[in-house]
Amino acid sequence: GGREEGGGGGGGPDRRARATKLQDSAALDAWLAPLFSSLVVATREAPAPVLPQLLSLLRPSSPFVVYSASMEPLAQCYHLCQASRCAVRLQLLETFTRAYQVAPNRTHPTMSTYPPTGYVLAGIKVAPPAGK
């Protein structure tokens, strides 16, 4: 015959998984409902595909930073933010720091410095132009 009703797994793992997924989805929606006041992104993947979605979760005038080990993904994000006019005060910075040895009458960089450790794109989200 047809489908079995009642016994034999009517409340089985699939149904519980779907109920849990719905609860998790509702909880996530409730958690995301208020807009956030800041955003920090650090990823090994290219951030440009998800950056517009993440910025949409920010209140206007909120700061954001995106970290990447290389500059190219952040340059894409920089141009994306410029083209969409979703951010101001954009800065693309290298996080290079150098330790200095300070001794009486002489100061010089420590010779065993590590190479640059990555790049940061920083900016402030703005409200979308009227009519968008």
Side-chain angles (χ1 to χ4, degrees):
R3 289 182 4 191
E4 289 184 27
E5 297 292 330
D14 289 341
R15 179 176 238 173
R16 279 183 288 223
R18 276 183 272 141
T20 301
K21 187 175 182 179
L22 289 174
Q23 288 173 351
D24 291 346
S25 178
L28 180 63
D29 289 344
W31 187 70
L32 293 175
L35 295 177
F36 294 98
S37 61
S38 61
L39 173 69
V40 177
V41 178
T43 178
R44 292 184 179 149
E45 304 298 322
V50 296
L51 189 60
Q53 293 168 323
L54 293 173
L55 289 177
S56 73
L57 300 174
L58 277 179
R59 290 187 286 224
S61 301
S62 297
F64 66 92
V65 294
V66 183
Y67 170 83
S68 178
S70 60
M71 187 184 297
E72 291 79 16
L74 296 182
Q76 290 174 347
C77 292
Y78 186 96
H79 293 295
L80 179 98
C81 289
Q82 276 188 325
S84 65
R85 297 180 179 209
C86 67
V88 294
R89 295 188 63 193
L90 290 169
Q91 298 177 337
L92 188 52
L93 308 164
E94 183 177 15
T95 61
F96 179 78
T97 58
R98 174 173 287 185
Y100 283 86
Q101 180 181 11
V102 178
N105 297 323
R106 61 182 186 267
T107 300
H108 60 83
T110 303
M111 295 309 188
S112 59
T113 358
Y114 294 102
T117 56
Y119 301 87
V120 173
L121 172 65
I124 297 176
K125 184 201 174 183
V126 295
K132 283 206 169 195

